[in-house]
Amino acid sequence: MYEMGDDRQIRIGVLSCTNIVRKVSRAINLAPNATVSAIAASITNSLDETKSFAAANNFPPTAKIHGSYESLLEDPDVDAVYFPIPASLHVEWAVRAAQKGKHILLDKPVALNVHQFDLIVEACEANGIQFMDGTQWIHNPRTAKIKQFLTDPVSFGQLITVQSCFSFAANENFLKNDIRVKPGLDGLGAVGDAGWYTIQASLLANSFRLPKTVTALPGHVLNDAGIVLSCGALLHWEEGVTATIYCSFLANVTMEITAIGTKGTLRLHDFVIPFQETEASFTTSTTLSLTEHTIVNEIPQEASMVIEFARLVGEIKNRGAKPDGFWLNFSRKTQVIVDAVKESIDNNLGPVLVSGR
């Protein structure tokens, strides 16, 4: 058992006072093997505002308030850093964190392109840093059950195609002012945000293998700055397996996966954020049956993410283990496909070869 102040708890510092920090700091508080040890004010928040934010979100009284990102990275009482900052800042601050020996929990998209992300990969590998992107659904216990079904040769057979969608109808303020629609901030729009989830769902269904080609589909919508607000794409694997993805800031909220195999089908309707925090379901069907599966978990999926991240960091810190490279590799493959979707859109919907990237 872990208790507050336990030396085995992984001490996580967080950057800025955004809404997602409220959610993730709660998850850290729920994780028995982690604690919030520090927060750094951003250029838009004063120290007093940061202190008030920490108190309002139940940070431990021992959590330090830093006046800058640099100060937090210098803090010897921080083992890892959570980065809820614009993607345009990821390379600079993630590399600096890795060079300071801080493990990295980085919001998606992990960079503006894979070339930028490779600088983060290089820094993590050079400094023995555990990396994980902040995609939460992949840590839900339901996801492990989904993987189990998709790899069952009797119930599911061989994958033929997978369709995934994440959309939500953003309001006018979001479409004008959110960092996800600003070229100098996140810059990848719906592809780097909602599309990140659909791409990872496609990779999961295909045993985390990159497709051969990626082709954007007709009907994409861009804003005046050229940022993708809505698009679809076709992913094609050499053996004929396909995946279609759809991501949008302009359509009704939808979070669906349908995977069709030679012997079975899987469906779920809330894969990004479960309709219930501690319960998640999915449906499987075969020639003979239709089954509803319900997975009950004691904590929300974001806390499961923190627990796994802290476990991996703890293995490195306390036992001298090597970082788990799966998470760097998974994020890199996702970024490669994000780049390919955008490249296809920029090149009149031509197919983009991604094998070997």
Side-chain angles (χ1 to χ4, degrees):
M1 294 293 292
Y2 296 85
E3 296 180 0
M4 186 174 292
D6 192 322
D7 289 342
R8 295 172 297 169
Q9 284 185 311
I10 298 305
R11 302 164 298 178
I12 300 177
V14 298
L15 304 185
S16 80
C17 304
T18 57
N19 281 332
I20 189 63
V21 174
R22 300 180 192 278
K23 184 175 183 179
V24 174
S25 63
R26 173 178 176 253
I28 297 171
N29 287 337
L30 290 170
N33 58 345
T35 186
V36 179
S37 62
I39 182 171
S42 68
I43 58 174
T44 59
N45 299 110
S46 68
L47 273 176
D48 285 342
E49 288 172 330
T50 305
K51 289 177 182 176
S52 297
F53 179 91
N57 288 279
N58 299 312
F59 283 24
T62 54
K64 299 178 185 178
I65 311 296
H66 289 275
S68 67
Y69 295 172
E70 294 95 335
S71 176
L72 186 144
L73 294 185
E74 294 287 349
D75 191 338
D77 295 322
V78 171
D79 299 310
V81 181
Y82 169 57
F83 292 85
I85 60 178
S88 58
L89 301 177
H90 284 183
V91 174
E92 175 186 358
W93 290 105
V95 168
R96 290 172 75 166
Q99 291 171 342
K100 294 294 182 180
K102 310 301 186 188
H103 302 279
I104 295 169
L105 182 60
L106 188 67
D107 261 0
K108 51 79 194 146
V110 291
L112 294 180
N113 55 63
V114 75
H115 303 295
Q116 287 188 0
F117 185 59
D118 281 343
L119 297 176
I120 298 174
V121 173
E122 182 180 340
C124 288
E125 292 179 344
N127 294 279
I129 299 303
Q130 180 61 54
F131 174 92
M132 184 179 285
D133 81 45
T135 311
Q136 297 160 13
W137 78 275
I138 203 75
H139 300 278
N140 193 302
R142 171 176 62 180
T143 305
K145 296 293 185 181
I146 290 170
K147 288 168 61 179
Q148 183 178 333
F149 178 75
L150 294 176
T151 55
D152 186 334
V154 175
S155 298
F156 185 73
Q158 298 297 313
L159 178 68
I160 296 174
T161 190
V162 57
Q163 302 152 10
S164 56
C165 170
F166 181 26
S167 62
F168 57 91
N171 61 31
E172 184 177 355
N173 181 61
F174 179 105
L175 294 174
K176 287 183 176 180
N177 301 311
D178 194 89
I179 65 171
R180 286 165 281 190
V181 299
K182 298 290 186 179
L185 296 174
D186 266 18
L188 295 176
V191 186
D193 184 55
W196 192 269
Y197 298 90
T198 64
I199 290 167
Q200 289 201 336
S202 301
L203 287 170
L204 180 144
N206 280 280
S207 302
F208 305 102
R209 297 179 300 119
L210 277 174
K212 181 180 180 180
T213 60
V214 172
T215 308
L217 298 174
H220 62 275
V221 179
L222 310 180
N223 69 8
D224 291 341
I227 301 299
V228 177
L229 300 180
S230 181
C231 74
L234 172 68
L235 286 57
H236 185 268
W237 281 258
E238 288 185 347
E239 62 273 23
V241 173
T242 62
T244 54
I245 64 168
Y246 176 74
C247 54
S248 180
F249 295 154
L250 305 175
N252 183 57
V253 60
T254 306
M255 304 177 286
E256 300 201 348
I257 298 173
T258 299
I260 302 171
T262 54
K263 298 181 179 179
T265 301
L266 174 141
R267 295 183 180 88
L268 61 159
H269 304 292
D270 60 349
F271 85 98
V272 177
I273 304 172
F275 295 137
Q276 299 185 56
E277 187 173 73
T278 56
E279 183 177 300
S281 63
F282 64 98
T283 301
T284 60
S285 58
T286 65
T287 305
L288 300 175
S289 66
L290 174 67
T291 306
E292 181 82 14
H293 308 262
T294 300
I295 312 300
V296 177
N297 50 299
E298 296 181 356
I299 55 175
Q301 62 185 16
E302 58 268 23
S304 296
M305 175 187 71
V306 172
I307 288 171
E308 176 62 8
F309 176 67
R311 184 190 70 80
L312 293 171
V313 173
E315 289 292 315
I316 297 168
K317 178 183 176 182
N318 301 319
R319 296 182 173 85
K322 300 291 186 183
D324 183 349
F326 168 81
W327 298 104
L328 271 174
N329 190 38
F330 189 28
S331 296
R332 189 183 188 281
K333 288 178 178 179
T334 309
Q335 186 72 54
V336 164
I337 298 175
V338 168
D339 291 1
V341 173
K342 190 171 183 298
E343 183 179 338
S344 181
I345 290 172
D346 293 341
N347 288 282
N348 298 314
L349 310 184
V352 175
L353 184 68
V354 299
S355 296
R357 287 196 180 189

